[in-house]
């Protein structure tokens, strides 16, 4: 199993339902919306929102609106545990992990915070093709750790 996978939903035609419960999902919704269903609760990410859906969080299904465009980073439990920051996350990080996995761009984040998260995420995506061998793993892990620190 790969430890880190990147794809774009519209470009690559992949379905997140194939990865739920297996990988930790980090997603930047670029256009339209993605809805995660957990029992009777729905979590919807609109254009500009960021999603952190951990593999341990139950998910019944994931739906997309027409022409959804989203960048997705899938991270294995092993890789996330290996590069997770050593300190306990703050209240916001705990909320994303347990209560609400959607970071709404218009409600939660200031423009500066949003830009930092986008830059972190896109930096991982830019380097995604160089994640080969031990050095590639170190680069990916370091960039993931920076993203997690900025999220928390």
């Amino acid at each position: 199993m790969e430890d880190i996978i990147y794809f774009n939903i519209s470009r690559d035609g992949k379905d997140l339902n194939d990865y739920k419960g297996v990988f930790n999902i980090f997603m930047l919704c670029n256009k339209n919306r993605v809805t995660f269903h957990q029992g009777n609760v729905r979590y919807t990410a609109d254009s500009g929102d960021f999603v952190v859906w951990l593999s341990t969080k139950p998910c019944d299904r994931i739906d997309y609106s027409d022409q959804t465009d989203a960048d997705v980073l899938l991270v294995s439990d092993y890789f996330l545990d290996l590069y997770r920051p050593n300190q306990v996350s703050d209240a916001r990080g705990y909320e994303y992990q347990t209560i609400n996995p959607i970071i709404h761009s218009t409600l939660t984040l200031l423009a500066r915070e949003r830009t930092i998260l986008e830059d972190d995420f896109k930096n991982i995506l830019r380097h995604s093709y160089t994640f080969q061998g031990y050095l590639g793993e170190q680069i990916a892990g370091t960039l993931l750790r920076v993203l997690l620190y900025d999220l928390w």
Side-chain angles (χ1 to χ4, degrees), residues 3-139:
D3 288 315
I4 191 165
I5 300 170
Y6 159 72
F7 61 87
N8 178 281
I9 289 175
S10 64
R11 182 190 66 221
D12 300 321
K14 293 190 178 186
D15 186 354
L16 277 175
N17 286 291
D18 297 335
Y19 303 97
K20 65 183 172 60
V22 178
F23 283 93
N24 299 284
I25 300 170
F26 296 85
M27 183 183 76
L28 180 61
C29 190
N30 300 314
K31 181 180 170 192
N32 293 335
R33 83 175 28 119
V34 178
T35 302
F36 291 76
H37 298 268
Q38 182 185 32
N40 294 329
V41 180
R42 290 185 298 173
Y43 299 97
T44 300
D46 293 309
S47 181
D49 291 345
F50 195 81
V51 177
V52 179
W53 195 281
L54 299 180
S55 64
T56 55
K57 188 171 184 65
C59 181
D60 300 323
R61 74 177 193 280
I62 304 168
D63 296 328
Y64 309 95
S65 63
D66 290 338
Q67 300 179 345
T68 294
D69 178 39
D71 291 308
V72 176
L73 181 69
L74 303 173
V75 180
S76 72
D77 288 335
Y78 165 78
F79 202 77
L80 186 63
D81 287 341
L82 190 62
Y83 290 100
R84 179 183 311 236
N86 292 328
Q87 71 183 42
V88 177
S89 61
D90 67 10
R92 187 170 73 169
Y94 179 79
E95 177 185 348
Y96 299 149
Q97 292 176 42
T98 58
I99 301 168
N100 187 1
I102 310 295
I103 303 169
H104 297 286
S105 61
T106 56
L107 302 176
T108 311
L109 298 177
L110 301 172
R112 183 175 179 284
E113 289 177 310
R114 168 97 179 129
T115 301
I116 290 169
L117 285 181
E118 275 187 28
D119 289 347
D120 290 345
F121 191 75
K122 289 179 180 180
N123 200 19
I124 294 171
L125 303 185
R126 276 192 292 274
H127 287 86
S128 65
Y129 297 106
T130 63
F131 295 160
Q132 297 174 10
Y134 178 75
L135 184 58
E137 177 184 310
Q138 294 294 308
I139 293 169

